[in-house]
């Protein structure tokens, strides 16, 4: 009986304990959910700010900014308890369309504010210039990025607790000397994309951890004074006018994680001291004039390396592509020579080695990099065949092997790359036909096989499956047979280049269905019959190249902006002498052909470059 009573009492005790615990958690949650009430003074200030917000925004109610609600519940406002009332500690008015300095005067009265975000507005003055400004004393974070701030940086005295300053994407200018020296606790400074000039400033507090100066006009050498900021984890000097050799003092940055020096005029060799910075995982110094060799061991710690568009020479180190942590490497447009190292990191997703002097064959071991997205080896001296093992890289989006000396057939296995968006194999010695397996490339947008030795007919079954294709380049091969009418199903095509082949038959009457087409090149073939009247319905067409065929009849009337070349078709009637087409046909045939072909090629390459800038660089930068 006693044991039973004891058990019942213990059970009741546990239930009571759980109930008390539940009530305590509920009370704590209720306390957290209730932001508290501001003092009359701070509430008055917030109502003044509300007036400014209302005058700037069409519908501030959308952001919970109403006179009937507690300001601590407004969007972008955070309050913290302080004795018997709450106080505003964080205020974000990003993208509210504010420009009136009156709101800055009101914000200055919030002496409890720790974080202020006024980014993406239209302010022209810094709040630090207002005096008096009690807010200065406690503010820790200030974001005024993407405004209309102009003039010199001004004085930051009084911001003794300021740790984070973001003034990026404004129009501030002039030299920076001692303006930032009054911020003793500064750890993050972003002045990117302004108009600052002169030497890179080094008068900031030694506590600095993040320094972003990209997109300005800073000039001169990289100052040795930068190396006193031993706590730096991020240093960004991109897009300036810095020159001279890069100092070899990076052992002074034992915590550095990201180093960006792209788009300057820096010279000399890659600093060997970078190999000692074990924390460094991203290094970019592309678009400079760096010379010498790529140091062995440079990718031991670095996961993302971009040294493209420099003057680096010599062979690539054997260990360059092999470290397990390496994810992306870009050495485009240097003077590197020798073979591609055959040992690849399984973590690689981007390999860009185009525009060098590399020779030898493409290593079959590339197929082991199953996570590879981008492979760019174009513009080298590579020989041999395309390894079928590339088909094992199922995630490939871009393959660029153009402008090499590759031979043999295209491996049919490449048709299994279901994620492939661009395949660039132009200007090689590839032969055979277009693989029927390419019908599996459902996401393909660019297929460039120009200037090769391909033979056979245009595979109709393949073409009808590539519905996303916007660029089809087959110029300068030995393709024969008729142009399949199914080509009209490629409604996304902007460029169709079938020139300089051995195509016969008539131009399909349905070709006018390609309403997005801007360039149509069917020149230097053996086509006959009339030019379909449907060509006149292609409203975006800018270039129509039909020269050196056996076409006849009357050329359809085309808009004046269309540049036409139909020379070398004796039976084709070009219209009246006063229309735009006839004017463009005057002069010798050879001169015209040279001029039009240069222009057309420029257009095509412009299209490709714009595609890469809009798509692939955005995806991988």
């Amino acid at each position: 009986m006693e044991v039973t009573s004891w058990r019942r009492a213990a059970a009741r005790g546990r239930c009571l304990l759980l109930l008390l615990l539940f009530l305590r958690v509920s009370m704590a949650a209720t306390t957290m959910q209730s932001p508290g009430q501001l003092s009359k003074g701070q509430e008055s200030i917030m109502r003044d700010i509300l007036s400014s917000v209302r005058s700037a925004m069409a519908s501030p109610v959308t952001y919970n900014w109403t006179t009937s609600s507690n300001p601590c519940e407004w969007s972008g406002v955070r309050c913290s308890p302080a004795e018997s009332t709450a106080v505003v500690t964080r205020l974000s008015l990003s993208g509210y369309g504010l420009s009136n300095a009156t709101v800055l005067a009101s914000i200055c009265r919030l002496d409890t504010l720790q974080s202020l975000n006024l980014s993406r507005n239209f302010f022209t003055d810094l709040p630090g210039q207002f005096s008096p400004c009690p807010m200065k004393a406690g503010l820790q974070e200030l974001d005024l990025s993407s405004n209309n701030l102009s003039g010199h940086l001004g004085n930051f005295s009084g911001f003794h607790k300021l740790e984070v300053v973001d003034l990026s994407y404004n129009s501030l200018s002039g030299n920076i000397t001692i303006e930032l020296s009054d911020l003793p606790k500064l750890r993050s400074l972003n002045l990117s994309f302004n108009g600052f000039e002169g030497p890179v400033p080094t008068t900031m507090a030694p506590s600095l951890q993040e320094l972003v100066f990209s997109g300005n006009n800073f000039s001169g050498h990289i100052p040795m004074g930068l190396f006193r900021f031993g706590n730096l984890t991020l240093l960004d000097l991109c897009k300036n006018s810095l020159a001279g050799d890069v100092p070899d003092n990076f052992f002074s940055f034992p915590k550095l994680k990201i180093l960006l020096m792209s788009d300057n005029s820096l010279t000399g060799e890659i600093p060997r001291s970078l190999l000692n910075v074990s924390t460094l995982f991203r290094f970019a110094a592309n678009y400079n004039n760096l010379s010498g060799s790529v140091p062995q061991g440079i990718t031991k710690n670095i996961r993302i390396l971009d040294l493209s568009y420099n003057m680096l020479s010599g062979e690539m180190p054997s260990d360059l592509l092999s470290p397990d942590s390496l994810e992306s490497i870009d050495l485009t447009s240097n003077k590197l020579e020798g073979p591609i190292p055959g040992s690849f990191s399984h973590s690689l997703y981007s390999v860009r080695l185009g525009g060098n002097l590399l020779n030898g064959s493409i290593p079959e071991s590339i197929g082991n990099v199953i996570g590879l997205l981008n492979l760019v080896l174009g513009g080298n001296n590579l020989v041999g065949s395309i390894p079928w093992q590339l088909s094992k890289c199922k995630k490939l989006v871009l393959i660029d092997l153009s402008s090499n000396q590759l031979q043999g057939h295209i491996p049919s296995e490449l048709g299994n790359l279901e994620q492939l968006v661009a395949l660039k194999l132009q200007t090689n010695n590839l032969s055979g036909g277009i693989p029927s397996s390419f019908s599996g490339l459902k996401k393909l947008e660019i297929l460039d096989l120009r200037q090769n030795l391909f033979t056979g007919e245009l595979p109709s079954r393949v073409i009808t499956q590539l519905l996303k294709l916007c660029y089809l380049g087959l110029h300068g091969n030995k393709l024969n047979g008729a142009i399949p009418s199914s080509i009209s199903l490629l409604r996304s095509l902007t460029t169709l280049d079938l020139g300089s082949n051995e195509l016969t038959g008539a131009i399909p009457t349905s070709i006018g269905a390609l309403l997005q087409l801007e360039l149509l090149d069917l020149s230097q073939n053996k086509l006959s019959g009339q030019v379909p009247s449907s060509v006149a319905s292609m409203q975006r067409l800018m270039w129509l190249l039909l020269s050196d065929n056996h076409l006849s009849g009357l050329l359809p009337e085309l808009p004046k902006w269309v540049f036409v070349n139909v020379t070398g078709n004796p039976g084709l009637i070009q219209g009246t002498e006063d229309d735009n087409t006839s004017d463009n046909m005057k002069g010798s045939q050879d001169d015209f052909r040279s001029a039009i072909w240069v222009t057309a090629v420029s257009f095509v390459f412009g299209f490709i470059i714009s595609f890469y800038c809009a798509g692939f660089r955005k995806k991988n930068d």
Side-chain angles (χ1 to χ4, degrees):
M1 180 69 71
E2 291 181 0
V3 172
T4 303
S5 300
W6 179 83
R7 285 177 176 172
R8 288 175 179 171
R12 285 196 297 271
R14 284 195 296 271
C15 289
L16 180 61
L17 181 62
L18 289 172
L19 178 61
L20 291 173
L21 182 60
F22 173 76
L23 290 174
R24 184 174 181 180
V25 170
S26 299
M27 291 174 65
T30 303
T31 302
M32 291 176 63
Q33 292 173 1
S34 176
Q37 194 67 38
L38 297 175
S39 66
K40 291 183 178 179
Q42 286 217 338
E43 183 158 352
S44 175
I45 295 171
M46 294 303 293
R47 302 294 175 190
D48 291 342
I49 295 173
L50 171 61
S51 298
S52 298
V53 171
R54 277 188 158 179
S55 63
M57 297 190 66
S59 180
V61 177
T62 307
Y63 294 82
N64 301 325
W65 284 63
T66 63
T67 54
S68 60
S69 62
N70 183 351
C72 290
E73 297 176 347
W74 295 349
S75 177
V77 178
R78 183 181 297 180
C79 299
S80 299
E83 298 180 356
S84 59
T85 61
V87 294
V88 179
T89 55
R90 301 180 70 89
L91 179 60
S92 176
L93 301 176
S94 177
Y96 278 37
L98 300 169
S99 61
N100 195 327
T102 303
V103 69
L104 295 178
S106 298
I107 293 172
C108 264
R109 293 157 53 202
L110 289 173
D111 57 356
T112 58
L113 205 58
Q114 298 175 10
S115 175
L116 176 61
N117 184 349
L118 297 176
S119 62
R120 298 190 298 116
N121 284 291
F122 302 100
F123 293 112
T124 57
D125 296 308
L126 290 165
Q129 313 308 317
F130 287 84
S131 183
C133 188
M135 174 198 69
K136 292 181 181 181
L139 197 67
Q140 298 174 14
E141 300 178 1
L142 175 62
D143 187 348
L144 274 162
S145 60
S146 300
N147 275 277
N148 293 330
L149 303 178
S150 60
H152 291 263
L153 189 58
N155 194 326
F156 272 84
S157 61
F159 288 94
H160 299 303
K161 292 186 178 181
L162 201 57
E163 298 180 12
V164 178
V165 177
D166 189 346
L167 301 176
S168 60
Y169 291 94
N170 280 286
S171 299
L172 297 167
S173 59
N175 288 18
I176 300 175
T177 53
I178 61 172
E179 289 86 349
L180 299 168
S181 59
D182 290 330
L183 301 174
K185 294 192 175 181
L186 188 64
R187 58 180 175 82
S188 179
L189 176 63
N190 188 346
L191 301 181
S192 61
F193 294 95
N194 279 280
F196 294 115
E197 54 191 16
V200 173
T202 59
T203 57
M204 296 76 71
S207 56
L208 206 60
Q209 298 175 15
E210 298 178 350
L211 184 57
V212 183
F213 282 165
S214 53
N216 283 283
N217 297 315
F218 291 118
S219 58
H221 291 66
I222 295 177
M224 295 302 296
L226 275 180
F227 295 96
R228 71 184 186 89
F229 299 109
N231 292 318
L232 275 183
T233 60
L234 165 62
L235 177 59
D236 184 355
L237 302 174
C238 292
K239 296 182 183 296
N240 281 285
S241 300
L242 301 175
D245 292 0
V246 181
D248 197 5
N249 287 67
F250 288 94
F251 48 78
S252 301
F253 295 142
K255 302 177 182 179
L256 193 63
K257 297 179 180 179
I258 300 175
L259 175 60
L260 309 175
M261 301 188 299
S262 309
D263 285 288
N264 283 286
S265 299
L266 298 171
T267 57
E269 298 188 352
I270 299 169
R272 263 48 178 183
S273 56
L274 289 173
L275 279 63
N276 299 322
V277 186
S278 60
T279 56
L280 188 64
F281 70 83
R282 182 182 177 191
F283 174 41
N286 49 305
Y287 289 99
N288 279 287
N289 297 313
L290 299 177
S291 58
S293 60
V294 178
Q296 187 159 354
I298 187 70
T299 53
K300 179 181 179 181
N301 301 306
I302 295 174
R303 300 203 299 266
I304 301 174
L305 177 65
D306 190 349
L307 297 173
S308 59
Y309 297 93
N310 278 286
M311 301 174 66
L312 301 172
S313 58
E315 294 191 5
M316 290 187 289
S318 58
D319 65 341
L320 184 67
L321 305 175
S322 61
D324 293 337
S325 58
L326 184 62
E327 298 176 3
S328 174
I329 186 164
D330 192 344
L331 297 173
T332 304
S333 292
N334 279 281
K335 298 180 179 180
L336 300 171
E337 55 190 12
I340 299 172
S343 181
F344 295 93
S345 165
H346 289 190
S347 301
L348 276 167
Y349 66 81
S350 183
V351 176
R352 295 176 180 268
L353 305 175
N356 282 285
L357 304 172
L358 301 175
N359 55 37
S361 59
I362 301 172
E364 295 180 355
S365 53
I366 190 70
N368 298 326
V369 190
I370 57 175
L372 194 62
L373 298 176
N374 303 318
L375 177 63
V376 180
L377 304 177
N380 282 289
N381 298 317
L382 300 175
V383 297
S385 59
I386 300 173
W388 68 265
Q389 288 85 352
L390 267 180
S391 63
K392 295 160 62 176
C393 306
K394 300 294 186 183
K395 296 182 180 180
L396 270 169
V397 174
L398 165 64
I399 297 177
D400 183 355
L401 307 179
S402 61
S403 300
N404 279 287
Q405 300 172 31
L406 300 174
Q407 299 176 343
H409 294 196
I410 300 176
S412 61
E413 292 87 350
L414 295 189
N416 299 324
L417 297 174
E418 297 179 354
Q419 303 302 314
L420 198 64
V421 174
L423 179 60
K424 293 170 57 62
L425 303 177
Q426 72 269 22
T427 318
N428 278 287
N429 297 314
L430 299 170
S431 58
I434 299 173
S436 59
S437 62
F438 274 19
S439 59
L441 303 177
K442 306 295 186 183
K443 294 186 178 180
L444 197 66
E445 297 180 14
I446 293 180
L447 177 59
D448 196 344
L449 305 179
R450 293 172 299 134
Q451 304 300 328
N452 277 285
L453 303 172
F454 292 116
T455 56
E457 298 185 356
L458 291 175
S460 178
R461 291 184 180 179
V462 172
I463 288 175
T464 56
Q465 300 299 314
L466 306 180
L467 298 181
K468 291 191 175 182
L469 206 63
C470 60
Y471 179 93
L472 177 58
L474 298 173
H475 193 102
N477 283 283
K478 297 182 179 180
L479 299 170
N480 55 40
I483 300 172
S485 60
S486 58
I487 206 165
S488 62
L489 298 175
L490 304 182
R491 301 300 173 87
S492 298
L493 270 184
T494 60
T495 298
L496 176 58
D497 186 354
L498 305 178
S500 295
N501 279 284
E502 299 174 4
L503 301 175
T504 57
I507 300 173
T509 58
S510 59
I511 201 162
L514 301 176
L515 298 179
Q516 304 299 316
L517 205 63
E518 297 174 3
L519 184 147
L520 175 59
D521 186 354
L522 304 178
S523 63
Q524 297 180 347
N525 278 285
K526 300 176 181 179
L527 300 172
S528 58
Q530 295 186 342
V531 178
S533 59
S534 61
V535 171
S537 64
M538 304 164 83
Q539 294 299 311
R540 298 197 175 199
L541 191 65
M542 297 173 61
W543 306 89
L544 178 61
L545 310 179
L546 303 176
S547 62
D548 298 310
N549 279 283
H550 306 299
L551 299 171
S552 59
L554 182 65
L555 181 71
E557 185 176 352
L558 297 166
K560 291 185 177 181
W561 63 77
V562 181
F563 211 89
V564 181
N565 184 1
V566 294
T567 58
N569 291 279
L572 189 61
I573 302 172
Q574 303 177 19
T576 61
E577 282 297 317
D578 59 349
D579 69 15
N580 186 64
T581 301
S582 294
D583 289 343
N584 287 336
M585 294 303 104
K586 292 179 180 179
S588 72
Q589 179 175 329
D590 290 339
D591 290 344
F592 178 84
R593 187 178 301 156
S594 299
I596 189 66
W597 183 240
V598 169
T599 310
V601 169
S602 300
F603 172 84
V604 171
F605 277 104
F607 170 82
I608 296 173
I609 291 170
S610 65
F611 180 90
Y612 283 147
C613 291
F616 295 113
R617 289 194 69 178
K618 186 176 181 180
K619 208 177 267 188
N620 298 294
D621 284 351

